[in-house]
């Protein structure tokens, strides 16, 4: 029950993400996002920056998109390499990073 509530909150947080970023993601990428990224980024108990929390994402983006991409691929903190998404490639991760951070600009 707790997990369902946390996932529901994460899904609601998606409303705060820029629609233009979502438009850039393919249906496959959105599916990967829901099945992988939300496992942590919609749960406050994981320590991952939550969707809809701009202050945390601003800190992440301050590193630069390339550094964030490297962190996703190599893993960082409790996030495993590739963030559990073995079927994702670099372009998938770039779109997911932009989607979660609300950034559509290339850096």
């Amino acid at each position: 029950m707790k997990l369902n509530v946390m996932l529901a909150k994460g899904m609601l947080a998606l409303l705060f993400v820029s629609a233009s970023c979502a438009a850039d993601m393919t249906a496959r990428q959105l599916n990967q996002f829901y099945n992988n990224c939300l496992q942590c980024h919609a749960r406050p108990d994981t320590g991952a920056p939550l969707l809809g929390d701009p202050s945390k994402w601003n800190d992440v983006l301050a590193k630069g998109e390339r550094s964030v991409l490297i962190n996703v691929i190599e893993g960082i903190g409790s996030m495993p390499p590739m963030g559990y998404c073995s079927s994702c490639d670099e372009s998938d991760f770039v779109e997911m990073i932009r989607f979660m951070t609300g950034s559509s600009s290339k850096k």
Side-chain angles (χ1 to χ4, degrees), residues 45-99:
D45 61 328
T46 65
L50 298 175
L51 293 170
D53 188 347
S55 65
K56 297 293 183 184
W57 289 112
N58 289 337
D59 294 343
V60 171
L61 284 175
K63 298 176 185 179
E65 188 176 271
R66 186 72 189 157
S67 292
V68 176
L69 177 62
I70 290 168
N71 288 341
V72 170
I73 292 169
E74 295 178 354
I76 185 170
S78 61
M79 181 174 151
M82 308 221 14
Y84 294 119
C85 190
S86 61
S87 64
C88 292
D89 61 26
E90 188 171 309
S91 65
D92 296 328
F93 289 128
V94 168
E95 291 304 324
M96 290 179 207
I97 290 166
R98 291 176 182 165
F99 183 63

